[in-house]
Amino acid sequence: MFIRLTRGQAAIDMGGGLVYLLVCFAVLNRGDPFPQAILALLFAIALGIRRFSPFVSLGIAWLAALFQMYVVHLQPGISDLAILGVLYTNARYGD
């Protein structure tokens, strides 16, 4: 399901996802930053499209969470805060 957004809503959502990505990049933990950057990018994409397509956004968030837990074995961090926005939007706009 895709929701038609106004330009302002789309700009706010995409801008929020971009700001979120920049914040996550600024606080990358020590160690290998590449998996953390991939994780932050996936969560930022999910956050950026959360109102446009709640279903796809939730799928991307699940993919990112599974990547975090089973592929790179990272502990929860600031990048996981995007899940809250995705869950709220799915409860608000999802079917």
Side-chain angles (χ1 to χ4, degrees):
M1 177 177 110
F2 297 100
I3 299 172
R4 185 158 173 82
L5 300 176
T6 64
R7 286 185 188 208
Q9 289 174 325
I12 288 172
D13 283 356
M14 293 297 174
L18 182 61
V19 167
Y20 175 79
L21 181 65
L22 294 174
V23 168
C24 287
F25 278 172
V27 295
L28 286 178
N29 294 331
R30 295 176 191 202
D32 189 11
F34 184 72
Q36 296 174 29
I38 296 296
L39 184 67
L41 181 64
L42 286 172
F43 277 130
I45 290 170
L47 198 59
I49 65 167
R50 69 185 187 273
R51 269 198 288 184
F52 176 67
S53 178
F55 179 72
V56 173
S57 176
L58 186 61
I60 293 172
W62 266 105
L63 180 70
L66 292 173
F67 174 76
Q68 178 181 7
M69 290 184 288
Y70 296 116
V71 177
V72 294
H73 307 288
L74 290 174
Q75 296 295 320
I78 193 168
S79 62
D80 295 315
L81 290 176
I83 295 172
L84 298 175
V86 171
L87 288 177
Y88 172 77
T89 306
N90 269 274
R92 175 71 174 92
Y93 296 105
D95 283 339

Coordinates of all heavy atoms in Angstrom, one line a residue:
M1 N 0.8 -1.2 0.0 CA 0.0 0.0 0.0 C 0.9 1.2 0.0 O 1.8 1.3 0.8 CB -0.9 0.0 1.2 CG -1.7 1.2 1.4 SD -2.8 1.2 2.8 CE -2.0 2.4 3.8
F2 N 0.6 2.2 -0.9 CA 1.3 3.4 -1.0 C 0.3 4.6 -0.7 O -0.8 4.6 -1.2 CB 1.9 3.6 -2.3 CG 2.9 2.5 -2.7 CD1 2.6 1.4 -3.4 CD2 4.2 2.6 -2.1 CE1 3.6 0.5 -3.7 CE2 5.2 1.7 -2.4 CZ 4.8 0.6 -3.2
I3 N 0.8 5.5 0.1 CA 0.0 6.6 0.5 C 0.5 7.9 -0.2 O 1.7 8.1 -0.3 CB 0.1 6.9 2.1 CG1 -0.4 5.7 2.8 CG2 -0.6 8.1 2.5 CD1 -0.2 5.7 4.3
R4 N -0.4 8.6 -0.8 CA -0.1 9.8 -1.5 C 0.2 10.9 -0.5 O -0.6 11.3 0.3 CB -1.2 10.3 -2.4 CG -0.9 11.4 -3.3 CD -1.8 11.5 -4.5 NE -1.6 12.6 -5.3 CZ -0.6 12.8 -6.2 NH1 0.2 11.8 -6.4 NH2 -0.5 13.9 -6.9
L5 N 1.5 11.5 -0.6 CA 1.9 12.5 0.4 C 2.0 13.8 -0.4 O 2.3 13.9 -1.6 CB 3.3 12.2 0.9 CG 3.4 10.9 1.7 CD1 4.9 10.6 2.1 CD2 2.5 10.9 2.9
T6 N 1.8 14.9 0.4 CA 2.1 16.2 -0.2 C 3.6 16.4 -0.3 O 4.4 15.7 0.3 CB 1.5 17.3 0.7 OG1 2.2 17.3 2.0 CG2 0.0 17.1 0.9
R7 N 4.0 17.4 -1.0 CA 5.5 17.7 -1.1 C 6.1 18.0 0.2 O 7.2 17.6 0.5 CB 5.7 18.8 -2.1 CG 5.5 18.5 -3.5 CD 5.9 19.6 -4.4 NE 5.5 19.3 -5.8 CZ 6.1 19.8 -6.8 NH1 7.1 20.6 -6.7 NH2 5.7 19.4 -8.0
G8 N 5.4 18.7 1.0 CA 5.9 19.1 2.4 C 6.1 17.8 3.2 O 7.1 17.7 3.9
Q9 N 5.1 16.9 3.2 CA 5.2 15.7 4.0 C 6.4 14.8 3.5 O 7.1 14.3 4.3 CB 3.9 14.9 3.9 CG 2.8 15.5 4.7 CD 1.5 14.7 4.4 OE1 1.2 14.2 3.3 NE2 0.6 14.7 5.4
A10 N 6.5 14.7 2.2 CA 7.6 13.9 1.6 C 8.9 14.6 2.0 O 9.9 13.9 2.3 CB 7.4 13.8 0.1
A11 N 9.0 15.9 1.9 CA 10.3 16.6 2.2 C 10.7 16.4 3.7 O 11.8 16.2 4.0 CB 10.2 18.0 1.9
I12 N 9.7 16.5 4.6 CA 9.9 16.3 6.0 C 10.4 14.9 6.3 O 11.3 14.6 7.0 CB 8.7 16.7 6.8 CG1 8.5 18.2 6.8 CG2 8.8 16.2 8.3 CD1 7.2 18.7 7.5
D13 N 9.7 13.9 5.7 CA 10.1 12.5 5.9 C 11.5 12.2 5.4 O 12.3 11.6 6.1 CB 9.1 11.6 5.3 CG 7.8 11.4 6.1 OD1 7.7 12.0 7.2 OD2 6.9 10.8 5.6
M14 N 11.8 12.6 4.2 CA 13.1 12.3 3.6 C 14.2 13.1 4.3 O 15.3 12.6 4.6 CB 13.1 12.7 2.1 CG 12.3 11.8 1.3 SD 12.9 10.1 1.3 CE 11.6 9.3 0.4
G15 N 13.9 14.4 4.7 CA 14.8 15.2 5.5 C 15.1 14.6 6.8 O 16.2 14.6 7.3
G16 N 14.0 14.1 7.5 CA 14.2 13.4 8.8 C 15.1 12.2 8.7 O 16.0 11.9 9.5
G17 N 14.9 11.4 7.6 CA 15.7 10.2 7.4 C 17.2 10.6 7.1 O 18.1 9.9 7.6
L18 N 17.4 11.7 6.4 CA 18.8 12.1 6.1 C 19.4 12.6 7.4 O 20.6 12.3 7.6 CB 18.7 13.2 5.1 CG 20.1 13.8 4.6 CD1 20.9 12.7 4.0 CD2 19.9 14.9 3.6
V19 N 18.7 13.4 8.2 CA 19.3 13.9 9.5 C 19.6 12.7 10.4 O 20.7 12.7 11.0 CB 18.3 14.9 10.1 CG1 18.8 15.2 11.6 CG2 18.3 16.2 9.3
Y20 N 18.7 11.8 10.4 CA 18.9 10.6 11.2 C 20.2 9.8 10.8 O 21.0 9.4 11.6 CB 17.7 9.7 11.1 CG 17.9 8.4 11.8 CD1 17.7 8.3 13.2 CD2 18.2 7.2 11.1 CE1 17.8 7.1 13.8 CE2 18.3 6.0 11.8 CZ 18.2 6.0 13.1 OH 18.3 4.8 13.8
L21 N 20.4 9.7 9.4 CA 21.6 9.0 8.9 C 22.8 9.8 9.3 O 23.8 9.2 9.7 CB 21.4 8.9 7.4 CG 22.6 8.2 6.7 CD1 22.7 6.8 7.1 CD2 22.4 8.4 5.2
L22 N 22.8 11.1 9.2 CA 24.0 11.9 9.6 C 24.3 11.8 11.0 O 25.5 11.7 11.4 CB 23.8 13.4 9.2 CG 23.7 13.6 7.7 CD1 23.4 15.1 7.4 CD2 25.0 13.2 7.0
V23 N 23.3 11.7 11.9 CA 23.5 11.5 13.3 C 24.1 10.2 13.6 O 25.1 10.0 14.4 CB 22.2 11.8 14.1 CG1 22.4 11.3 15.6 CG2 21.8 13.2 14.1
C24 N 23.6 9.2 12.9 CA 24.1 7.8 13.1 C 25.6 7.7 12.6 O 26.4 7.0 13.3 CB 23.3 6.8 12.4 SG 21.7 6.5 13.2
F25 N 25.9 8.3 11.5 CA 27.3 8.3 11.0 C 28.2 9.1 12.0 O 29.4 8.7 12.1 CB 27.4 8.9 9.6 CG 27.0 8.0 8.5 CD1 26.9 8.5 7.2 CD2 26.8 6.7 8.7 CE1 26.5 7.7 6.2 CE2 26.4 5.8 7.7 CZ 26.3 6.3 6.4
A26 N 27.7 10.1 12.6 CA 28.5 10.9 13.5 C 28.9 10.1 14.8 O 30.0 10.3 15.4 CB 27.8 12.2 13.9
V27 N 28.1 9.1 15.2 CA 28.4 8.4 16.4 C 28.7 6.9 16.2 O 28.4 6.1 17.0 CB 27.2 8.5 17.4 CG1 27.1 10.0 17.9 CG2 25.9 8.0 16.8
L28 N 29.3 6.6 15.0 CA 29.7 5.2 14.8 C 30.6 4.7 15.9 O 31.6 5.5 16.3 CB 30.4 5.1 13.4 CG 29.5 5.2 12.2 CD1 30.3 5.1 10.9 CD2 28.4 4.1 12.2
N29 N 30.4 3.6 16.4 CA 31.2 3.0 17.4 C 32.6 2.6 16.8 O 32.8 2.5 15.6 CB 30.5 1.7 18.0 CG 29.3 2.1 18.7 OD1 29.2 3.2 19.2 ND2 28.3 1.2 18.8
R30 N 33.5 2.3 17.7 CA 34.8 1.8 17.3 C 34.7 0.4 16.8 O 33.7 -0.3 17.0 CB 35.7 1.9 18.5 CG 36.0 3.3 18.9 CD 36.9 3.4 20.1 NE 36.8 4.8 20.6 CZ 37.7 5.3 21.3 NH1 38.7 4.6 21.7 NH2 37.6 6.6 21.7
G31 N 35.7 0.0 16.1 CA 35.6 -1.3 15.4 C 35.4 -1.1 14.0 O 35.8 -0.1 13.4
D32 N 34.8 -2.0 13.3 CA 34.5 -2.0 11.9 C 33.3 -1.1 11.6 O 32.2 -1.5 11.9 CB 34.3 -3.4 11.3 CG 34.3 -3.4 9.8 OD1 34.6 -2.4 9.2 OD2 33.9 -4.5 9.3
P33 N 33.5 0.1 11.0 CA 32.4 1.0 10.8 C 31.5 0.6 9.6 O 30.4 1.1 9.5 CB 33.0 2.3 10.6 CG 34.3 2.0 10.0 CD 34.8 0.7 10.7
F34 N 32.0 -0.3 8.7 CA 31.2 -0.6 7.5 C 29.8 -1.2 7.8 O 28.8 -0.8 7.3 CB 32.0 -1.5 6.6 CG 31.3 -1.7 5.3 CD1 31.1 -0.7 4.3 CD2 30.8 -3.0 5.0 CE1 30.5 -1.0 3.1 CE2 30.1 -3.2 3.8 CZ 30.0 -2.2 2.9
P35 N 29.8 -2.3 8.7 CA 28.5 -2.9 9.0 C 27.5 -1.9 9.7 O 26.3 -1.9 9.5 CB 28.8 -4.1 9.9 CG 30.2 -4.4 9.7 CD 30.8 -3.1 9.3
Q36 N 28.1 -1.1 10.6 CA 27.3 -0.1 11.3 C 26.7 0.9 10.3 O 25.6 1.4 10.5 CB 28.1 0.6 12.3 CG 28.6 -0.3 13.4 CD 29.5 0.4 14.4 OE1 29.4 1.6 14.6 NE2 30.4 -0.4 15.0
A37 N 27.5 1.3 9.3 CA 27.0 2.3 8.3 C 25.9 1.6 7.4 O 24.9 2.3 7.1 CB 28.2 2.7 7.4
I38 N 26.1 0.4 7.1 CA 25.0 -0.3 6.3 C 23.7 -0.4 7.1 O 22.6 -0.1 6.6 CB 25.5 -1.7 5.9 CG1 26.6 -1.7 5.0 CG2 24.3 -2.5 5.3 CD1 26.3 -1.0 3.7
L39 N 23.9 -0.7 8.4 CA 22.7 -0.7 9.3 C 22.0 0.6 9.4 O 20.8 0.7 9.3 CB 23.1 -1.3 10.7 CG 22.1 -1.5 11.7 CD1 21.2 -2.6 11.3 CD2 22.7 -1.8 13.1
A40 N 22.8 1.7 9.6 CA 22.3 3.0 9.7 C 21.6 3.4 8.4 O 20.5 4.0 8.5 CB 23.4 4.0 10.1
L41 N 22.2 3.0 7.3 CA 21.5 3.4 6.0 C 20.2 2.6 5.8 O 19.2 3.3 5.4 CB 22.5 3.0 4.9 CG 22.0 3.3 3.5 CD1 21.8 4.8 3.3 CD2 23.0 2.7 2.4
L42 N 20.1 1.4 6.2 CA 18.9 0.6 6.1 C 17.8 1.2 7.0 O 16.6 1.4 6.6 CB 19.1 -0.8 6.4 CG 19.8 -1.7 5.4 CD1 20.1 -3.1 6.0 CD2 18.9 -1.8 4.2
F43 N 18.1 1.6 8.2 CA 17.2 2.2 9.1 C 16.8 3.6 8.7 O 15.6 4.0 8.8 CB 17.7 2.2 10.6 CG 17.5 0.9 11.3 CD1 18.6 0.4 12.0 CD2 16.3 0.3 11.3 CE1 18.4 -0.8 12.7 CE2 16.1 -0.9 12.0 CZ 17.2 -1.4 12.7
A44 N 17.7 4.3 8.1 CA 17.4 5.7 7.6 C 16.4 5.6 6.4 O 15.5 6.4 6.3 CB 18.6 6.4 7.2
I45 N 16.6 4.6 5.5 CA 15.7 4.4 4.4 C 14.3 4.0 4.9 O 13.3 4.6 4.5 CB 16.2 3.3 3.4 CG1 17.4 3.8 2.7 CG2 15.1 2.9 2.5 CD1 18.2 2.7 1.9
A46 N 14.2 3.1 5.9 CA 13.0 2.8 6.5 C 12.3 4.0 7.1 O 11.1 4.2 7.0 CB 13.1 1.7 7.5
L47 N 13.1 4.8 7.8 CA 12.5 6.0 8.4 C 12.1 7.0 7.4 O 11.1 7.7 7.5 CB 13.5 6.6 9.3 CG 13.1 7.6 10.4 CD1 12.1 6.9 11.3 CD2 14.2 8.1 11.2
G48 N 12.8 7.1 6.3 CA 12.5 8.1 5.2 C 11.2 7.8 4.4 O 10.5 8.7 4.0
I49 N 10.9 6.5 4.3 CA 9.7 6.1 3.5 C 8.5 5.7 4.4 O 7.6 5.1 3.9 CB 10.0 5.1 2.5 CG1 10.4 3.8 3.1 CG2 11.1 5.6 1.5 CD1 10.5 2.6 2.2
R50 N 8.6 5.9 5.7 CA 7.6 5.3 6.6 C 6.2 5.7 6.4 O 5.3 4.9 6.5 CB 8.0 5.6 8.1 CG 7.9 7.0 8.5 CD 8.4 7.2 9.9 NE 8.1 8.6 10.3 CZ 8.9 9.6 10.1 NH1 10.0 9.5 9.4 NH2 8.5 10.8 10.6
R51 N 5.9 7.0 5.9 CA 4.6 7.4 5.6 C 4.2 7.1 4.2 O 3.0 6.9 3.9 CB 4.4 8.9 5.9 CG 4.0 9.2 7.3 CD 3.4 10.5 7.4 NE 4.4 11.6 7.3 CZ 4.2 12.9 7.5 NH1 3.0 13.3 7.8 NH2 5.2 13.7 7.4
F52 N 5.1 7.0 3.3 CA 4.8 6.7 1.9 C 4.3 5.3 1.8 O 3.4 5.0 1.1 CB 6.0 7.0 1.0 CG 5.8 6.6 -0.4 CD1 4.9 7.3 -1.2 CD2 6.5 5.6 -0.9 CE1 4.7 6.9 -2.5 CE2 6.4 5.2 -2.3 CZ 5.5 5.9 -3.0
S53 N 5.0 4.4 2.4 CA 4.6 3.0 2.4 C 5.0 2.3 3.7 O 6.1 1.8 3.9 CB 5.4 2.2 1.3 OG 5.0 0.9 1.3
P54 N 4.0 2.3 4.7 CA 4.3 1.7 6.0 C 4.7 0.2 5.9 O 5.6 -0.2 6.6 CB 3.0 1.9 6.7 CG 2.3 3.0 6.1 CD 2.7 2.9 4.6
F55 N 4.1 -0.5 5.0 CA 4.4 -1.9 4.8 C 5.9 -2.2 4.4 O 6.6 -3.0 5.0 CB 3.4 -2.6 3.8 CG 3.7 -4.0 3.6 CD1 3.3 -5.0 4.6 CD2 4.2 -4.5 2.4 CE1 3.6 -6.3 4.4 CE2 4.4 -5.8 2.2 CZ 4.1 -6.7 3.2
V56 N 6.3 -1.4 3.4 CA 7.7 -1.6 2.9 C 8.7 -1.1 3.9 O 9.7 -1.7 4.2 CB 7.8 -0.8 1.6 CG1 9.3 -0.8 1.1 CG2 7.0 -1.4 0.5
S57 N 8.3 0.0 4.6 CA 9.2 0.5 5.7 C 9.4 -0.5 6.8 O 10.5 -0.7 7.3 CB 8.5 1.8 6.2 OG 9.3 2.3 7.3
L58 N 8.3 -1.2 7.2 CA 8.4 -2.2 8.2 C 9.3 -3.4 7.7 O 10.1 -3.9 8.5 CB 7.0 -2.7 8.6 CG 7.0 -3.7 9.8 CD1 7.5 -3.0 11.1 CD2 5.5 -4.1 10.0
G59 N 9.1 -3.8 6.5 CA 9.9 -4.8 5.9 C 11.4 -4.5 5.9 O 12.3 -5.3 6.2
I60 N 11.7 -3.2 5.6 CA 13.1 -2.8 5.6 C 13.7 -2.8 7.0 O 14.8 -3.2 7.3 CB 13.3 -1.4 4.9 CG1 13.0 -1.6 3.4 CG2 14.7 -0.9 5.1 CD1 12.9 -0.3 2.7
A61 N 12.9 -2.3 7.9 CA 13.3 -2.3 9.3 C 13.5 -3.7 9.9 O 14.5 -4.0 10.6 CB 12.3 -1.6 10.2
W62 N 12.7 -4.7 9.5 CA 12.9 -6.1 9.8 C 14.2 -6.6 9.2 O 15.0 -7.3 9.9 CB 11.7 -7.0 9.4 CG 10.7 -7.2 10.4 CD1 9.5 -6.6 10.5 CD2 10.8 -8.0 11.6 NE1 8.8 -7.0 11.6 CE2 9.6 -7.9 12.3 CE3 11.8 -8.8 12.1 CZ2 9.3 -8.6 13.4 CZ3 11.5 -9.5 13.2 CH2 10.3 -9.4 13.9
L63 N 14.4 -6.3 8.0 CA 15.7 -6.7 7.3 C 16.9 -6.2 8.0 O 17.9 -6.9 8.2 CB 15.6 -6.3 5.8 CG 16.8 -6.6 5.0 CD1 16.9 -8.1 4.7 CD2 16.8 -5.9 3.7
A64 N 16.8 -4.9 8.4 CA 17.9 -4.3 9.1 C 18.1 -4.9 10.5 O 19.3 -5.2 10.9 CB 17.7 -2.8 9.3
A65 N 17.1 -5.2 11.2 CA 17.2 -5.8 12.5 C 17.8 -7.2 12.4 O 18.6 -7.6 13.2 CB 15.8 -5.9 13.2
L66 N 17.3 -8.0 11.4 CA 17.9 -9.3 11.2 C 19.4 -9.3 10.8 O 20.2 -10.1 11.3 CB 17.1 -10.1 10.1 CG 15.7 -10.5 10.6 CD1 14.9 -11.1 9.4 CD2 15.7 -11.4 11.7
F67 N 19.7 -8.3 10.0 CA 21.1 -8.1 9.6 C 21.9 -7.8 10.9 O 23.0 -8.3 11.0 CB 21.2 -6.9 8.6 CG 22.6 -6.5 8.3 CD1 23.4 -7.3 7.4 CD2 23.1 -5.3 8.8 CE1 24.7 -6.9 7.1 CE2 24.4 -4.9 8.4 CZ 25.2 -5.7 7.6
Q68 N 21.4 -6.9 11.7 CA 22.1 -6.6 13.0 C 22.3 -7.8 13.9 O 23.4 -7.9 14.4 CB 21.3 -5.5 13.7 CG 22.0 -5.0 15.0 CD 21.2 -4.0 15.7 OE1 20.1 -3.6 15.3 NE2 21.7 -3.5 16.8
M69 N 21.3 -8.6 14.0 CA 21.3 -9.7 15.0 C 22.1 -10.9 14.5 O 22.8 -11.5 15.3 CB 19.9 -10.1 15.4 CG 19.2 -9.0 16.3 SD 17.6 -9.6 16.8 CE 16.6 -9.6 15.3
Y70 N 21.9 -11.3 13.3 CA 22.4 -12.5 12.8 C 23.6 -12.5 11.8 O 24.3 -13.5 11.7 CB 21.2 -13.3 12.1 CG 20.1 -13.7 13.1 CD1 18.9 -13.1 12.9 CD2 20.4 -14.5 14.2 CE1 17.9 -13.4 13.8 CE2 19.4 -14.8 15.1 CZ 18.1 -14.3 14.9 OH 17.1 -14.5 15.8
V71 N 23.8 -11.3 11.2 CA 24.9 -11.3 10.3 C 26.1 -10.6 10.9 O 27.2 -11.2 10.9 CB 24.5 -10.5 9.0 CG1 25.7 -10.4 8.1 CG2 23.3 -11.2 8.3
V72 N 26.0 -9.5 11.5 CA 27.1 -8.7 12.1 C 27.2 -8.8 13.6 O 28.2 -8.3 14.2 CB 27.2 -7.3 11.6 CG1 27.4 -7.3 10.1 CG2 25.9 -6.5 11.9
H73 N 26.2 -9.3 14.3 CA 26.1 -9.5 15.7 C 26.5 -8.2 16.5 O 27.3 -8.1 17.4 CB 27.1 -10.6 16.1 CG 26.9 -11.8 15.4 ND1 25.8 -12.7 15.6 CD2 27.6 -12.4 14.4 CE1 25.9 -13.7 14.8 NE2 27.0 -13.6 14.1
L74 N 25.8 -7.1 16.1 CA 26.0 -5.8 16.8 C 25.0 -5.7 18.0 O 23.9 -6.2 17.9 CB 25.7 -4.6 15.8 CG 26.8 -4.4 14.7 CD1 26.3 -3.4 13.8 CD2 28.1 -4.1 15.3
Q75 N 25.5 -5.0 19.0 CA 24.6 -4.7 20.1 C 23.7 -3.5 19.7 O 23.9 -2.8 18.8 CB 25.5 -4.2 21.3 CG 26.4 -5.3 21.8 CD 25.6 -6.5 22.4 OE1 24.6 -6.3 23.1 NE2 26.0 -7.7 22.1
P76 N 22.5 -3.4 20.4 CA 21.6 -2.3 20.1 C 22.3 -1.0 20.3 O 23.2 -0.8 21.2 CB 20.5 -2.5 21.2 CG 20.6 -3.9 21.5 CD 22.0 -4.3 21.4
G77 N 22.0 0.0 19.5 CA 22.6 1.3 19.5 C 21.6 2.4 19.1 O 20.4 2.1 19.0
I78 N 22.2 3.5 18.7 CA 21.3 4.7 18.4 C 20.6 4.4 17.1 O 19.5 4.9 16.9 CB 22.2 5.9 18.3 CG1 21.3 7.2 18.2 CG2 23.1 5.9 17.1 CD1 22.0 8.5 18.4
S79 N 21.1 3.6 16.2 CA 20.5 3.3 14.9 C 19.1 2.6 15.1 O 18.3 2.7 14.3 CB 21.4 2.5 14.0 OG 21.7 1.3 14.5
D80 N 19.0 1.9 16.3 CA 17.7 1.2 16.5 C 16.6 2.1 16.9 O 15.4 1.6 17.0 CB 18.0 0.2 17.6 CG 19.0 -0.9 17.2 OD1 18.8 -1.4 16.1 OD2 19.9 -1.2 18.0
L81 N 16.8 3.3 17.1 CA 15.7 4.2 17.5 C 14.8 4.5 16.3 O 13.6 4.9 16.5 CB 16.3 5.6 18.0 CG 17.0 5.6 19.3 CD1 17.6 6.9 19.6 CD2 16.0 5.1 20.4
A82 N 15.2 4.2 15.1 CA 14.3 4.3 14.0 C 13.2 3.4 14.0 O 12.1 3.6 13.5 CB 15.1 4.1 12.7
I83 N 13.4 2.3 14.7 CA 12.3 1.3 14.8 C 11.0 1.9 15.5 O 9.9 1.6 15.1 CB 12.8 0.0 15.6 CG1 13.9 -0.7 14.8 CG2 11.6 -0.9 15.9 CD1 14.6 -1.8 15.6
L84 N 11.3 2.8 16.4 CA 10.1 3.4 17.1 C 9.3 4.2 16.1 O 8.0 4.2 16.1 CB 10.6 4.3 18.2 CG 11.4 3.6 19.4 CD1 11.9 4.6 20.4 CD2 10.5 2.6 20.0
G85 N 9.9 5.0 15.3 CA 9.2 5.8 14.3 C 8.5 4.9 13.3 O 7.3 5.2 12.9
V86 N 9.1 3.8 12.8 CA 8.5 2.9 11.9 C 7.3 2.2 12.5 O 6.2 2.1 11.9 CB 9.5 1.9 11.4 CG1 8.9 0.8 10.5 CG2 10.6 2.6 10.6
L87 N 7.4 1.8 13.7 CA 6.3 1.1 14.4 C 5.1 2.0 14.6 O 4.0 1.7 14.4 CB 6.8 0.5 15.7 CG 7.6 -0.7 15.6 CD1 8.1 -1.2 17.0 CD2 7.0 -1.9 14.9
Y88 N 5.4 3.3 15.0 CA 4.3 4.2 15.2 C 3.6 4.5 13.9 O 2.4 4.5 13.9 CB 4.9 5.5 15.8 CG 3.8 6.6 15.8 CD1 2.8 6.6 16.8 CD2 3.7 7.6 14.9 CE1 1.8 7.5 16.8 CE2 2.7 8.5 14.9 CZ 1.8 8.5 15.8 OH 0.8 9.4 15.8
T89 N 4.3 4.7 12.9 CA 3.7 5.0 11.6 C 2.9 3.8 11.1 O 1.9 4.0 10.5 CB 4.8 5.4 10.6 OG1 5.6 6.5 11.1 CG2 4.2 5.9 9.3
N90 N 3.4 2.6 11.3 CA 2.6 1.4 10.9 C 1.3 1.3 11.7 O 0.3 1.0 11.1 CB 3.4 0.2 11.0 CG 4.2 -0.2 9.8 OD1 3.7 -0.8 8.9 ND2 5.4 0.3 9.7
A91 N 1.4 1.7 13.0 CA 0.1 1.7 13.8 C -0.8 2.8 13.3 O -2.0 2.6 13.3 CB 0.5 1.8 15.2
R92 N -0.3 3.9 12.9 CA -1.1 5.1 12.5 C -1.6 5.0 11.1 O -2.8 5.2 10.9 CB -0.3 6.3 12.7 CG -0.9 7.6 12.2 CD -2.0 8.0 13.2 NE -2.6 9.3 12.8 CZ -3.6 9.5 12.0 NH1 -4.2 8.4 11.5 NH2 -4.1 10.7 11.8
Y93 N -0.8 4.6 10.1 CA -1.2 4.6 8.7 C -1.4 3.3 8.1 O -1.9 3.2 7.0 CB -0.2 5.4 7.9 CG -0.1 6.8 8.3 CD1 1.0 7.3 9.0 CD2 -1.0 7.8 7.9 CE1 1.1 8.6 9.4 CE2 -0.9 9.1 8.2 CZ 0.2 9.5 9.0 OH 0.3 10.8 9.3
G94 N -0.9 2.2 8.7 CA -1.0 0.9 8.1 C -2.4 0.3 8.2 O -3.3 0.8 8.8
D95 N -2.6 -0.7 7.4 CA -3.9 -1.4 7.4 C -4.0 -2.5 8.4 O -3.2 -3.2 8.7 CB -4.1 -2.0 6.0 CG -4.5 -1.0 4.9 OD1 -4.9 0.1 5.3 OD2 -4.3 -1.3 3.8

